[in-house]
């Protein structure tokens, strides 16, 4: 099963993503800021990172840029709120492979993952 790291400062969102993903994926970590996301990524090198854009200490865009700099083959899907188009453009420039928009439903999450990490 593909290994996934979930990075979101909202415990509710982490729980929601875990519930959607745990059936077909191994959750290797759940973190609440970009600093932790980079650290756990480097320790675990999961197949996929589900990365919130707006997080404390270090946002998802900076964390994605850091992860992609150290591993260009890393797969990162950004989780964004409606109305954050500019942030999404920044995330794509930082190397994001895809995105989902909150509030998300299981089918859209699975579809975004399958576009990035073929099963």
């Amino acid at each position: 099963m593909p290994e996934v790291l979930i990075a979101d400062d909202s415990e509710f969102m982490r729980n929601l993503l875990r519930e959607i993903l745990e059936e077909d994926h191994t959750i290797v970590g759940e973190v609440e800021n970009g600093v932790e996301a980079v650290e756990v990524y480097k320790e675990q090198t999961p197949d996929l990172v589900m990365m919130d854009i707006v997080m404390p200490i270090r946002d998802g865009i900076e964390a994605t840029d850091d992860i992609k700099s150290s591993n260009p083959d890393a797969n990162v899907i950004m989780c964004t709120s409606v109305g954050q188009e500019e942030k999404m453009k920044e995330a794509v420039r930082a190397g994001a492979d895809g995105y989902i928009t909150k509030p998300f439903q299981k089918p859209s999450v699975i579809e975004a993952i399958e576009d990035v990490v073929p099963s």
Side-chain angles (χ1 to χ4, degrees), residues 4-51:
V4 181
L5 168 62
I6 298 171
D8 199 308
D9 58 323
S10 159
E11 185 179 0
F12 173 79
M13 283 297 162
R14 292 195 308 272
N15 290 341
L16 182 62
L17 275 170
R18 183 183 344 102
E19 286 171 18
I20 289 171
L21 297 173
E22 64 189 354
E23 192 177 318
D24 299 311
H25 303 80
T26 302
I27 309 299
V28 296
E30 293 182 31
V31 299
E32 53 190 49
N33 64 60
V35 172
E36 293 173 352
V38 173
E39 286 172 2
V40 175
Y41 180 84
K42 287 178 178 171
E43 289 166 14
Q44 301 282 342
T45 57
D47 301 302
L48 176 66
V49 182
M50 300 299 289
M51 181 88 71

Side-chain angles (χ1 to χ4, degrees), residues 16-91:
L16 182 62
L17 275 170
R18 183 183 344 102
E19 286 171 18
I20 289 171
L21 297 173
E22 64 189 354
E23 192 177 318
D24 299 311
H25 303 80
T26 302
I27 309 299
V28 296
E30 293 182 31
V31 299
E32 53 190 49
N33 64 60
V35 172
E36 293 173 352
V38 173
E39 286 172 2
V40 175
Y41 180 84
K42 287 178 178 171
E43 289 166 14
Q44 301 282 342
T45 57
D47 301 302
L48 176 66
V49 182
M50 300 299 289
M51 181 88 71
D52 186 21
I53 289 185
V54 180
M55 292 187 289
I57 306 175
R58 191 159 196 219
D59 69 22
I61 294 169
E62 291 175 0
T64 297
D65 188 41
D66 199 344
I67 288 169
K68 286 290 201 169
S69 295
S70 65
N71 181 1
D73 296 328
N75 295 306
V76 181
I77 293 178
M78 305 305 288
C79 306
T80 177
S81 300
V82 173
Q84 290 186 327
E85 285 77 15
E86 279 309 308
K87 292 261 187 220
M88 261 329 300
K89 288 177 189 163
E90 281 181 56

